Amino acid sequence: MFNHYKRKIRLIIVIAVNAMFISSSFAQSNEVSLNSSGEQIWRLRAEAEVNKADNIHTIDCKAEKWVQAIVPGTVFASYVAAGVEKDPNFGDNIYKVDKAKYDRNFWYRTAFVIPSSYTQKYIWLNFRGVNRKADIYLNGTLLGSLDGFMQQGRFDITEIASRTTKNILTVLVSIPLQPLANVGSPNYVSSAGWDWMPYVPGLNSGITDNVYLSNTGAVTIKDPWIRASLPTNARADISIALDVKNNASTPQTAMVVGVITPGNIEFIKKINIDAKGTAAVKLTKAEFKQLMINSPKLWWPNGYGEPNLYNCKLSVRVGNETSDVRNISFGIKRYSYDTLGRVLHLAINGTPVFIKGGDWGMSEYMLRCRGKEYDTKVRLHKEMNFNMIRNWIGSTTDEEFYDACDKYGIMVWDDFWLNANPNLPADINVFNANAIEKIKRFRNHPSIAVWCADNEGWPERPLSAWLKEDLDTFDGGDRYYQPNSHAENLSGSGPWDAKDPRYYFTAYPSGSGGNKGWGLRTELGTAVFVNFESFKKFMPKENWWPRNDMWNQHFFGPLAFNAGPDSYDQSIAIGYGAPKGIEDYCRKAQFVNLESNKAMFEGWQDHIGEDASGLMTWMSQSAYPSMVWQTYDYYYDLTGAYFGAKKACEPLHIQWNPVDNAIKVINTTRADAEGLTAIAEIYNMDGKLISHYSDSKTIDAPSNSATECFKLKLSESKANLALNKPVYASSSTNGDPGAVNDGNNGTRWASRSNDDEWIYVDLGKEEVVNGVGLNWEDAYPKTFKVQVSNDAKKWRDVYVTNEGRPGEQQIGFVENTARYVRVQGVERGTYWGYSLWNFEVYQGDVASEGLSDVHFIKLKLTDKAGKLVSDNFYWRGNKRKDYSALGTLPKVDLKVSYKTVKSNGKYFVTAQITNPSSSAAVAFGIRVQAINALSGEQILPAIINENYFSLLKGETRTVRLEFDAGLINQGNIRLSAEAFNSNTHP
């Protein structure tokens, strides 16, 4: 090996003028984990319970009675794992924990032996993260302190550690300072409780990231940074920057050697480093032409191409010895941004990207998500056709999260640790040091697309300027800097409760903060109730039914009021019939989940090319067992919300606008799609096709567009219920207010010259209404509301706008039962008052001829060859919000067949689900599950291509499932397929 290396160096020197390099041999990484495992045991104890006599820094300490600790992990999670505390997921156990027991400082302790393979001079003890502060001792010697969970510790223990006997490592971890936002920042801000997770005793303090040993020579690598410039997509210019540190007391001459794969691109550079000095090294195509890569494999987000990754193996050599080695994964890509129309748009490699994604509150509320779990969670986002995750308030700090996002093509909207409060961290310099560390640690990940400073607020000075400067300096301005998560070219955040699907298509879905319109919305969510299988895992049986305060402890009640649990209840009861118990509630809830979550994304996609550039749902994954804000739940059960979002976010997608009945094709791919055929069919509950409502058309669908195909010919009433009904007004300067609804276009109502004037009509009895027609004279309201009431005292807003204008307009809204309809002025658009020629009120709930109370819209999209590329399925009521007739569907007997294959450590199940031609009805809302035949439990986590689908008579659907082989033995798999109207359902 030695002679081979010398021969290569001589060869390189001889031909250096030609910039030719040949392959090099590299040492493998010699990191040795000190994380808790079978052999590596950590223990912990409260500082207040430890005294000098315990001799905790010595081998003589009797720590066997200390609680065994999980590293990486938190203090409280360790006590839970040790059985000291009851399962905090279950019932209200976590609310009963004595916080004082954990809201204090703790000692961690372990012993380790230096590996015999560590033959190089320098031994390093490495900490990747501690929450929130830590003093670190080895064999009684204070090595140093860490402050902030992003600060890394790299301690030279060469002269302190024994190479022949056990070494005692002790760490005093200090609890975060409260209030967490923003005084105690940086930290896991929701640890003190939020409207989706409880207060975590100990505030998630602990050794929260990896601890390991490493062994190097005198010269080491620090902060490698790889960037790619793309003059065109056909060429990438790579630059590599790194610091090389000389830890010795004498000057060193070293060789920086690298190889990039794929492509086997090699380079080598000689450097001189002063004693105890650091050399800043930069390698570019100016010196190394091979760093100009032709036809590079680009990194693309999910739905736009493959997320290709490269690896750069860097080593530094002194003489014949490899002193240090680093492997850096990176992607070649170019982000670009614009804010045309006050809407933030993102493009990658020159291609506009429509953002479809979700917010992560935390990976898990007690920081128990580790390693492979990140792959599972992020893979589920890929399978939902998402392309972005927002790392809310920077609460996910593990490298495995970013690795998984790189792997699956999921862009990251990455927040720092500030939340909407006009206060600064207690130590702004520590905050800033952690921010710089975060940027350096994660900047090589191609998945990071946006850096965001503050959740729903602006950073206080001086952090507002510091963060921007940090990113310009340490990320080179390669990503967009967004100061506020819901303002400045964004359309706000929220609402967070389930709405009628038409809400998301109607101008404008309201948001808190930001600009009006669809735009780019970083938070929009709905309550998402779990299936019964998950519900009973965390809810005591005595609290199953009816709804009670224990539900509230899992955030279905006042603790999560933003999720609208009361309106969610009504959506189930009105839409599907009053639930008969908890199983019925869970079953019906999935259709509310599916419909509302599909509509959210489809409503935004409906406006691509106008002002919509993307949407992230609040939230896309679950940190705590709850009934709100999730797609898959805490146990990885894929809810109706998951499949609603998955369907809506197909890269090439056909959809229905429930407001104007338009059928559109949504193309969020890089390529134009030509010669597509869009087909719409409407069926009654008995499965009969109602052909005169069906339609089809061949269209082209350009990339990044919503192409309208046709409108369904469904009845939409414009019957005027207000004609000649009694009218009342706050004032009238032009005679009888009744002139506004007398059917004469030449008569009008005019108010005094005040802002807050109103006029309402008495319909004489309660009616179902879904819109108004208004014809304003030149004296119009700039801002006004349409309100309804049943007693003319308590008014409900059904429409609000600040874009009033003169002339005729028809305003639609979700059906409301009301006797009185009012137009309430808020702000005048002119010096004059309000002047209205006509005021009409439209009747809702008008049945289309020949359609059953509930009917089905089946959409298909085929390519030139007739191959199905997208399908969709909706249910629609003649009384639009009332689907209760589904409860009268005739029962069906599904036919199920499947085969199971084991390969590469996984089971793959392929199932055929058939609704026989002899069935009496459509098989509605079929749910497929893989079951452990021995335990009767779901097999989770599992990847399923689709669920909650419906089959017409004679139709068959192929369902594919995938899960790790370690979860089950092949012979113990049973497949369940049950429709809403299955015979097997009680």
Side-chain angles (χ1 to χ4, degrees):
M1 176 68 76
F2 171 74
N3 290 333
H4 175 63
Y5 173 75
K6 285 203 300 184
R7 186 171 66 252
K8 279 198 311 186
I9 296 298
R10 285 198 295 270
L11 179 61
I12 291 170
I13 292 171
V14 170
I15 61 175
V17 292
N18 295 318
M20 295 175 62
F21 301 93
I22 63 175
S23 33
S24 304
S25 220
F26 294 92
Q28 297 299 309
S29 171
N30 58 10
E31 294 176 359
V32 173
S33 173
L34 293 183
N35 293 344
S36 56
S37 62
E39 296 181 357
Q40 190 67 47
I41 297 175
W42 285 80
R43 297 191 181 274
L44 62 86
R45 193 172 193 179
E47 180 188 24
E49 297 172 0
V50 174
N51 56 55
K52 291 183 179 179
D54 290 328
N55 297 316
I56 65 169
H57 302 301
T58 72
I59 196 72
D60 298 324
C61 176
K62 306 298 183 184
E64 290 80 3
K65 293 184 180 180
W66 291 24
V67 168
Q68 189 162 331
I70 298 172
V71 175
T74 68
V75 170
F76 182 62
S78 296
Y79 275 74
V80 170
V84 177
E85 299 290 350
K86 293 180 180 179
D87 179 5
N89 293 344
F90 190 74
D92 58 356
N93 286 345
I94 195 167
Y95 298 91
K96 296 177 179 178
V97 175
D98 180 6
K99 297 176 186 175
K101 182 177 177 181
Y102 302 100
D103 289 357
R104 52 184 179 166
N105 301 341
F106 277 79
W107 278 106
Y108 281 77
R109 186 181 187 279
T110 194
F112 65 87
V113 176
I114 300 297
S116 59
S117 59
Y118 276 19
T119 57
Q120 293 184 289
K121 178 178 180 180
Y122 290 87
I123 302 174
W124 304 90
L125 174 63
N126 304 274
F127 282 75
R128 291 282 291 177
V130 173
N131 189 34
R132 161 68 164 76
K133 296 182 179 181
D135 296 328
I136 299 169
Y137 298 81
L138 183 65
N139 299 329
T141 299
L142 177 64
L143 301 179
S145 299
L146 301 178
D147 194 348
F149 61 19
M150 289 306 302
Q151 186 178 1
Q152 297 188 79
R154 182 171 169 84
F155 303 105
D156 181 356
I157 62 171
T158 307
E159 302 300 326
I160 301 171
S162 169
R163 286 180 178 260
T164 57
T165 61
K166 284 187 177 181
N167 295 278
I168 305 301
L169 174 59
T170 47
V171 182
L172 179 61
V173 172
S174 299
I175 192 171
L177 181 67
Q178 294 205 63
L180 299 187
N182 292 315
V183 172
S185 185
N187 56 60
Y188 301 100
V189 67
S190 54
S191 300
W194 217 265
D195 59 356
W196 46 273
M197 66 170 273
Y199 185 106
V200 180
L203 299 171
N204 278 317
S205 58
I207 302 175
T208 50
D209 213 326
N210 296 325
V211 184
Y212 60 95
L213 298 172
S214 56
N215 184 216
T216 70
V219 180
T220 52
I221 296 169
K222 184 180 179 183
D223 297 330
W225 181 14
I226 300 178
R227 301 171 73 189
S229 172
L230 279 174
T232 74
N233 285 358
R235 193 187 97 209
D237 299 334
I238 305 299
S239 66
I240 303 168
L242 65 152
D243 289 338
V244 180
K245 175 91 165 51
N246 178 12
N247 301 285
S249 301
T250 56
Q252 300 287 328
T253 297
M255 307 293 286
V256 175
V257 182
V259 60
I260 295 174
T261 53
N264 202 36
I265 300 163
E266 299 181 351
F267 49 88
I268 187 167
K269 183 180 179 71
K270 181 179 178 181
I271 59 172
N272 296 308
I273 321 165
D274 293 335
K276 298 292 185 181
T278 299
V281 179
K282 185 75 176 288
L283 304 104
T284 69
K285 70 170 185 175
E287 186 177 3
F288 302 100
K289 292 182 180 179
Q290 62 269 42
L291 293 180
M292 184 178 69
I293 302 175
N294 291 314
S295 301
K297 296 179 180 295
L298 302 182
W299 188 90
W300 292 98
N302 188 31
Y304 290 84
E306 292 300 314
N308 297 297
L309 292 171
Y310 285 77
N311 184 77
C312 178
K313 191 170 188 177
L314 290 175
S315 68
V316 59
R317 296 176 177 176
V318 178
N320 298 322
E321 180 184 73
T322 297
S323 186
D324 197 10
V325 178
R326 294 287 185 93
N327 281 284
I328 305 100
S329 176
F330 69 98
I332 296 176
K333 86 292 177 221
R334 179 182 73 255
Y335 286 111
S336 56
Y337 314 83
D338 71 65
T339 56
L340 296 175
R342 301 182 68 199
V343 175
L344 176 60
H345 302 91
L346 181 150
I348 188 165
N349 306 327
T351 297
V353 173
F354 186 83
I355 293 171
K356 298 176 282 191
D359 298 81
W360 280 34
M362 283 179 69
S363 56
E364 201 270 346
Y365 76 114
M366 287 167 51
L367 300 186
R368 294 179 293 186
C369 177
R370 297 291 166 193
K372 190 177 179 181
E373 272 199 88
Y374 280 110
D375 192 276
T376 299
K377 289 176 184 287
V378 176
R379 165 112 188 252
L380 287 171
H381 285 68
K382 174 188 180 292
E383 297 294 330
M384 269 192 290
N385 299 306
F386 283 3
N387 55 36
M388 180 173 277
I389 291 171
R390 178 183 168 205
N391 184 11
W392 177 82
I393 315 191
S395 297
T396 298
T397 56
D398 294 318
E399 194 90 37
E400 296 95 331
F401 164 72
Y402 295 91
D403 289 341
C405 289
D406 292 346
K407 173 182 176 181
Y408 289 117
I410 304 296
M411 299 179 293
V412 177
W413 174 295
D414 212 348
D415 289 5
F416 289 94
W417 317 284
L418 298 170
N419 178 60
N421 296 326
N423 63 342
L424 285 167
D427 191 327
I428 57 175
N429 292 306
V430 165
F431 178 94
N432 196 55
N434 276 259
I436 292 170
E437 178 59 37
K438 172 172 178 164
I439 296 164
K440 288 182 175 181
R441 187 184 297 194
F442 299 132
R443 63 190 173 188
N444 289 313
H445 289 277
S447 53
I448 297 177
V450 175
W451 298 105
C452 185
D454 198 314
N455 178 59
E456 299 183 344
W458 283 267
E460 295 292 300
R461 298 175 62 188
L463 292 186
S464 52
W466 286 8
L467 285 170
K468 188 175 188 306
E469 185 66 24
D470 292 342
L471 290 163
D472 287 343
T473 303
F474 299 107
D475 195 39
D478 287 352
R479 281 90 162 188
Y480 189 79
Y481 171 67
Q482 176 69 30
N484 182 316
S485 73
H486 75 171
E488 297 195 8
N489 304 306
L490 304 177
S491 63
S493 56
W496 299 270
D497 55 328
K499 303 287 188 182
D500 182 290
R502 287 167 292 175
Y503 172 84
Y504 303 106
F505 291 81
T506 306
Y508 293 110
S510 60
S512 171
N515 305 326
K516 59 180 176 287
W518 281 268
L520 177 55
R521 186 73 57 90
T522 57
E523 292 184 26
L524 182 70
T526 76
V528 175
F529 211 89
V530 296
N531 276 300
F532 179 60
E533 292 87 347
S534 290
F535 181 84
K536 62 186 180 182
K537 290 177 182 177
F538 62 82
M539 189 64 61
K541 190 170 185 178
E542 62 270 22
N543 299 115
W544 283 2
W545 190 259
R547 177 178 159 186
N548 55 75
D549 188 61
M550 190 64 77
W551 290 26
N552 185 40
Q553 306 309 306
H554 290 265
F555 299 93
F556 199 77
L559 288 176
F561 65 94
N562 277 331
D566 294 340
S567 60
Y568 188 91
D569 279 347
Q570 293 173 7
S571 296
I572 294 174
I574 294 172
Y576 299 92
K580 300 172 184 176
I582 185 58
E583 292 187 66
D584 195 35
Y585 189 99
C586 292
R587 183 172 65 110
K588 291 174 176 175
Q590 301 316 309
F591 299 103
V592 174
N593 294 341
L594 190 153
E595 191 181 37
S596 58
N597 282 268
K598 182 163 71 167
M600 282 195 324
F601 285 99
E602 290 186 337
W604 250 253
Q605 291 172 172
D606 194 70
H607 295 85
I608 292 177
E610 298 173 32
D611 73 342
S613 67
L615 172 69
M616 285 184 277
T617 181
W618 179 264
M619 287 182 280
S620 55
Q621 77 100 32
S622 180
Y624 174 74
S626 77
M627 287 83 88
V628 294
W629 302 324
Q630 55 200 335
T631 55
Y632 54 87
D633 70 21
Y634 183 83
Y635 305 99
Y636 295 109
D637 187 20
L638 310 181
T639 70
Y642 176 95
F643 291 100
K646 175 181 171 70
K647 176 56 66 177
C649 294
E650 292 173 322
L652 192 59
H653 176 68
I654 187 169
Q655 67 180 47
W656 166 58
N657 181 326
V659 174
D660 65 8
N661 288 315
I663 304 300
K664 291 187 177 180
V665 172
I666 312 300
N667 184 355
T668 55
T669 73
R670 286 159 52 198
D672 296 341
E674 298 179 345
L676 302 174
T677 299
I679 304 167
E681 298 171 335
I682 297 184
Y683 293 83
N684 277 338
M685 290 195 299
D686 61 3
K688 181 181 178 181
L689 173 66
I690 311 301
S691 57
H692 62 274
Y693 289 114
S694 301
D695 208 343
S696 66
K697 187 176 182 180
T698 299
I699 55 101
D700 297 332
S703 175
N704 197 47
S705 70
T707 302
E708 183 170 322
C709 307
F710 49 82
K711 284 186 167 68
L712 297 178
K713 304 176 183 66
L714 296 169
S715 298
E716 295 293 340
S717 171
K718 286 296 180 285
N720 178 16
L721 299 174
L723 185 64
N724 294 320
K725 298 294 174 61
V727 177
Y728 304 89
S730 55
S731 66
S732 182
T733 62
N734 196 38
D736 181 8
V740 80
N741 68 334
D742 60 3
N744 185 344
N745 291 329
T747 58
R748 63 187 175 91
W749 162 72
S751 76
R752 293 174 301 190
S753 298
N754 296 323
D755 281 336
D756 297 320
E757 299 289 327
W758 49 260
I759 184 169
Y760 74 80
V761 60
D762 178 0
L763 302 178
K765 63 177 182 176
E766 290 187 359
E767 300 274 9
V768 177
V769 297
N770 69 354
V772 297
L774 304 174
N775 185 6
W776 297 102
E777 202 192 19
D778 289 343
Y780 71 97
K782 177 182 177 181
T783 303
F784 69 93
K785 304 176 181 179
V786 179
Q787 302 174 311
V788 297
S789 174
N790 293 322
D791 59 7
K793 296 177 182 178
K794 297 178 181 177
W795 296 91
R796 308 186 300 276
D797 294 346
V798 293
Y799 177 80
V800 180
T801 185
N802 59 4
E803 293 187 316
R805 56 177 173 77
E808 294 186 28
Q809 55 191 289
Q810 291 183 339
I811 297 168
F813 47 80
V814 173
E815 286 81 10
N816 272 263
T817 301
R819 175 173 173 173
Y820 305 94
V821 181
R822 179 166 78 171
V823 176
Q824 171 69 62
V826 177
E827 181 183 359
R828 289 169 291 160
T830 69
Y831 169 81
W832 307 102
Y834 305 122
S835 182
L836 189 60
W837 292 108
N838 287 314
F839 180 8
E840 299 178 337
V841 177
Y842 300 134
Q843 180 182 4
D845 286 354
V846 176
S848 297
E849 183 180 355
L851 295 182
S852 53
D853 287 345
V854 176
H855 39 277
F856 306 112
I857 301 171
K858 184 178 177 63
L859 305 181
K860 293 182 287 187
L861 185 69
T862 58
D863 63 13
K864 290 179 180 179
K867 179 183 177 183
L868 185 70
V869 293
S870 173
D871 65 347
N872 214 333
F873 191 90
Y874 302 88
W875 47 101
R876 180 181 183 273
N878 285 326
K879 295 182 178 180
R880 293 296 294 277
K881 294 187 294 184
D882 182 358
Y883 310 123
S884 58
L886 291 171
T888 68
L889 276 169
K891 299 295 184 181
V892 297
D893 290 306
L894 298 174
K895 290 185 177 179
V896 180
S897 62
Y898 61 95
K899 64 178 181 180
T900 303
V901 175
K902 184 178 181 181
S903 176
N904 297 321
K906 292 182 179 293
Y907 281 120
F908 298 89
V909 182
T910 303
Q912 302 293 320
I913 316 297
T914 300
N915 183 24
S917 300
S918 58
S919 285
V922 173
F924 176 72
I926 299 167
R927 182 188 180 202
V928 177
Q929 302 176 75
I931 306 293
N932 182 327
L934 295 179
S935 69
E937 299 290 326
Q938 289 176 288
I939 302 172
L940 296 174
I943 303 296
I944 308 178
N945 67 318
E946 63 179 310
N947 231 336
Y948 300 102
F949 56 91
S950 298
L951 294 176
L952 302 174
K953 293 188 287 187
E955 279 192 326
T956 296
R957 186 68 53 93
T958 300
V959 178
R960 291 178 294 276
L961 302 91
E962 170 193 333
F963 48 85
D964 286 346
L967 295 173
I968 195 77
N969 294 320
Q970 182 169 358
N972 294 335
I973 299 170
R974 176 172 61 84
L975 203 69
S976 164
E978 183 180 85
F980 185 79
N981 55 320
S982 278
N983 260 321
T984 56
H985 197 277

